[in-house]
């Protein structure tokens, strides 16, 4: 398969998908059950503007790997798995790449849910578990945005996999995507602190569509592929903006530069890389994913994403009510925080000011009011005298 002719040069990325994927059963690895699917179209002009990596083929390998849910290699041929030169620069013309996976990786394959991206901002504050989610996330992240350092007042506790997906969804996702033989990357609770980050409100709006966090090292990239000055094995999570025309998504007017790493908490409560992969794959799919891929995954894999199935109408109605209550509580808490911040910002008199005011505090109210009247009358007389003196001076100058 050759790259389709285009007025604007682009890289087309194909991956091999099964015709049939039955929930709860191993994939049929027979060659007849697999076919190439056009997954990503990457305009060369866009890649050059984004500059996510000094080794763009390594970034493409990571991007398609997170979308497909399997580790593999890129080749320029649909008939041969010979890997491309990952240190080469981008071509000048359109090209096609093919993502090959081993049989072992095909057995692990778990592509990204096309509906994973955010269609609305999910609240992170509610009367029960979600209140604890915010508290735990803020405490772990030092009560400041992990990207900009903004105070908690201007931040949200953001779910990496949206709260609306539920416990079964995140449990299934992390089990299928797990790379830790000890299960250290499994998350069972959608409101687990390991599914959250404290982020400023601007970045919250963009997470999953226009903003994502690239964890390195990963199976395709080292940290020096993102920052050539960094040690290859340094643990980082770099904020990438997929919509460079809107830098506000990185933190408002004081947004940090593109490619700024977020502050990582070196604790067991930090999110596992596979959740950052999910957010990153969502942004890749949003900007570069083909409708062919989305249709393929929807038809073949949708039943595997949430074994619990679609919620019934009663459950859906209940969720609408609880979400509305959560929004009201969040608004109230934000108002309380804003009032508190204003109170903290008010100037507090120092000890000298209080001592100076003490004599007036001890004077009876009626006597104090009389003193103010006398002071006002005296000031008015002094002002009249000053004005009269200026008029007299002017008259003398005119007469002379």
């Amino acid at each position: 398969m050759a790259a389709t002719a285009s007025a604007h040069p682009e890289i087309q990325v194909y991956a091999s998908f099964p015709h049939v994927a039955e929930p709860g059963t191993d994939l049929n690895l027979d060659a007849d059950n697999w076919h190439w699917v056009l997954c990503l179209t990457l305009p060369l002009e866009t890649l050059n503007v984004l500059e996510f990596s000094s080794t763009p083929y390594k970034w493409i390998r990571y991007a398609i790997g997170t979308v497909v849910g399997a580790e593999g290699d890129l080749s320029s041929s649909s008939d041969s798995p010979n890997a491309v030169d990952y240190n080469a620069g981008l071509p000048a013309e359109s090209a096609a790449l093919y993502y090959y996976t081993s049989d072992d990786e095909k057995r692990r394959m778990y592509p990204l849910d096309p509906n994973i991206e955010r269609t609305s901002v999910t609240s992170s504050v509610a009367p029960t578990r979600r209140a604890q989610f915010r508290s735990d996330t803020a405490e772990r992240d030092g009560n400041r945005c992990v990207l900009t350092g903004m105070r908690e007042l201007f931040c949200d506790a953001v779910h990496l996999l949206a709260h609306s997906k539920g416990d079964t969804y995140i449990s299934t996702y992390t089990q299928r995507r797990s790379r830790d033989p000890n299960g250290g990357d499994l998350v069972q609770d959608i409101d687990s602190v390991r599914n959250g980050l404290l982020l400023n409100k601007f970045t919250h709006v963009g997470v999953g569509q226009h903003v994502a966090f690239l964890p390195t090292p990963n199976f395709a990239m080292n940290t020096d592929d993102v920052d050539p000055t960094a040690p290859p094995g340094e643990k980082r999570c770099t904020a990438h903006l997929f919509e460079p025309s809107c830098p506000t998504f990185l933190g408002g007017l004081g947004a940090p530069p593109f490619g700024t790493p977020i502050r990582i908490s070196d604790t067991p409560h930090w999110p596992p890389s596979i959740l950052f992969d999910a957010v990153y794959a969502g942004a890749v799919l949003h900007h570069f994913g083909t409708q062919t891929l989305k249709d393929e995954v929807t038809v073949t894999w949708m039943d595997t994403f949430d074994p619990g199935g679609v919620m019934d109408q009663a459950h859906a109605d209940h969720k609408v009510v609880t979400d509305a209550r959560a929004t009201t509580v969040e608004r109230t808490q934000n108002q309380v925080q804003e009032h508190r911040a204003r109170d903290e910002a008010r100037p507090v008199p120092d000890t000298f000011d209080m001592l100076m005011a003490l004599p007036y505090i001890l004077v009876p109210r009626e006597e104090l009011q009389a003193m103010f009247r006398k002071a006002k009358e005296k000031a008015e007389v002094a002002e009249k005298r000053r004005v009269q003196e200026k008029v007299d001076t002017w008259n003398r100058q005119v007469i002379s």
Side-chain angles (χ1 to χ4, degrees):
M1 259 176 270
T4 305
S6 173
H8 303 286
E10 62 186 15
I11 293 179
Q12 298 174 344
V13 186
Y14 294 81
S16 188
F17 276 80
H19 290 291
V20 178
E22 294 288 344
T25 62
D26 293 335
L27 290 176
N28 180 355
L29 299 180
D30 291 345
D32 292 342
N33 188 43
W34 295 77
H35 64 295
W36 290 112
V37 174
L38 176 60
C39 298
L40 307 176
T41 56
L42 305 166
L44 291 173
E45 182 180 4
T46 302
L47 292 181
N48 285 321
V49 170
L50 294 176
E51 289 188 303
F52 286 155
S53 173
S54 57
T55 50
Y57 282 109
K58 292 185 181 181
W59 178 85
I60 295 172
R61 182 187 179 198
Y62 170 76
I64 186 63
T66 59
V67 169
V68 170
E71 297 179 3
D73 274 296
L74 293 172
S75 173
S76 57
S77 170
S78 61
D79 300 318
S80 172
N82 293 331
V84 300
D85 179 1
Y86 288 115
N87 293 314
L90 292 172
E93 302 296 332
S94 293
L97 295 174
Y98 300 87
Y99 190 64
Y100 283 86
T101 52
S102 67
D103 285 350
D104 284 343
E105 285 298 319
K106 284 178 179 176
R107 292 187 182 95
R108 306 178 60 104
M109 184 177 182
Y110 192 67
L112 187 76
D113 176 4
N115 298 316
I116 199 170
E117 69 179 31
R118 296 164 188 271
T119 54
S120 62
V121 175
T122 59
S123 171
S124 58
V125 182
T128 54
R129 293 193 313 174
R130 292 165 76 184
Q132 189 64 45
F133 170 77
R134 179 183 178 95
S135 174
D136 291 345
T137 303
E139 181 179 357
R140 184 202 62 201
D141 294 340
N143 301 304
R144 289 186 177 273
C145 170
V146 295
L147 176 60
T148 64
M150 286 186 188
R151 292 168 51 197
E152 183 186 353
L153 173 65
F154 308 105
C155 297
D156 292 326
V158 181
H159 290 79
L160 296 177
L161 287 188
H163 172 84
S164 58
K165 294 297 186 182
D167 295 341
T168 302
Y169 188 96
I170 194 171
S171 176
T172 301
Y173 172 86
T174 56
Q175 287 175 16
R176 293 295 301 268
R177 288 275 186 126
S178 174
R179 291 280 169 177
D180 185 345
N182 298 318
D185 52 2
L186 300 180
V187 179
Q188 307 293 333
D189 182 352
I190 198 69
D191 289 316
S192 167
V193 66
R194 302 185 71 212
N195 185 39
L197 289 177
L198 194 68
L199 292 169
N200 67 83
K201 295 179 183 293
F202 295 98
T203 302
H204 184 181
V205 174
V207 165
Q209 289 187 354
H210 307 303
V211 177
F213 309 102
L214 175 67
T216 52
N218 57 56
F219 80 94
M221 306 174 71
N222 287 322
T223 300
D224 61 346
D225 293 314
V226 179
D227 178 3
T229 66
E234 180 179 277
K235 185 178 179 181
R236 273 199 195 181
C237 208
T238 304
H240 277 170
L241 179 63
F242 285 73
E243 191 61 66
S245 62
C246 297
T248 303
F249 281 131
L250 291 181
L253 297 178
F258 293 1
T260 297
I262 63 175
R263 189 180 69 257
I264 294 177
S265 298
D266 189 19
T267 74
H269 304 300
W270 185 251
S273 292
I274 55 175
L275 290 184
F276 287 114
D277 290 343
V279 176
Y280 206 93
V284 169
L285 195 64
H286 180 79
H287 286 270
F288 306 117
T290 66
Q291 191 59 47
T292 302
L293 170 64
K294 296 173 185 177
D295 293 342
E296 174 81 19
V297 175
T298 299
V299 171
T300 309
W301 294 83
M302 194 52 67
D303 290 340
T304 69
F305 293 135
D306 187 357
V310 180
M311 68 179 74
D312 59 26
Q313 188 58 46
H315 189 184
D317 291 343
H318 176 71
K319 185 178 182 304
V320 169
V321 173
T322 55
D323 282 353
R325 289 174 179 169
T327 301
T328 301
V329 173
E330 179 177 23
R331 187 181 301 116
T332 302
Q333 284 205 2
N334 285 339
Q335 289 173 348
V336 170
Q337 287 180 327
E338 290 169 2
H339 288 313
R340 187 181 300 133
R342 284 199 295 267
D343 290 341
E344 292 174 353
R346 288 174 182 162
V348 179
D350 60 20
T351 305
F352 181 74
D353 292 333
M354 297 176 67
L355 289 174
M356 292 292 291
L358 189 59
Y360 298 97
I361 296 174
L362 299 176
V363 175
R365 182 179 177 184
E366 294 79 8
E367 187 176 338
L368 188 60
Q369 288 177 337
M371 290 172 58
F372 285 151
R373 281 196 300 271
K374 281 187 178 181
K376 183 179 179 181
E377 291 170 358
K378 186 181 293 186
E380 290 174 349
V381 170
E383 178 64 15
K384 288 180 181 179
R385 185 183 303 115
R386 187 184 65 81
V387 172
Q388 187 61 48
E389 289 175 352
K390 289 184 68 175
V391 171
D392 292 343
T393 301
W394 179 77
N395 284 332
R396 286 195 297 270
Q397 290 174 346
V398 172
I399 295 173
S400 60

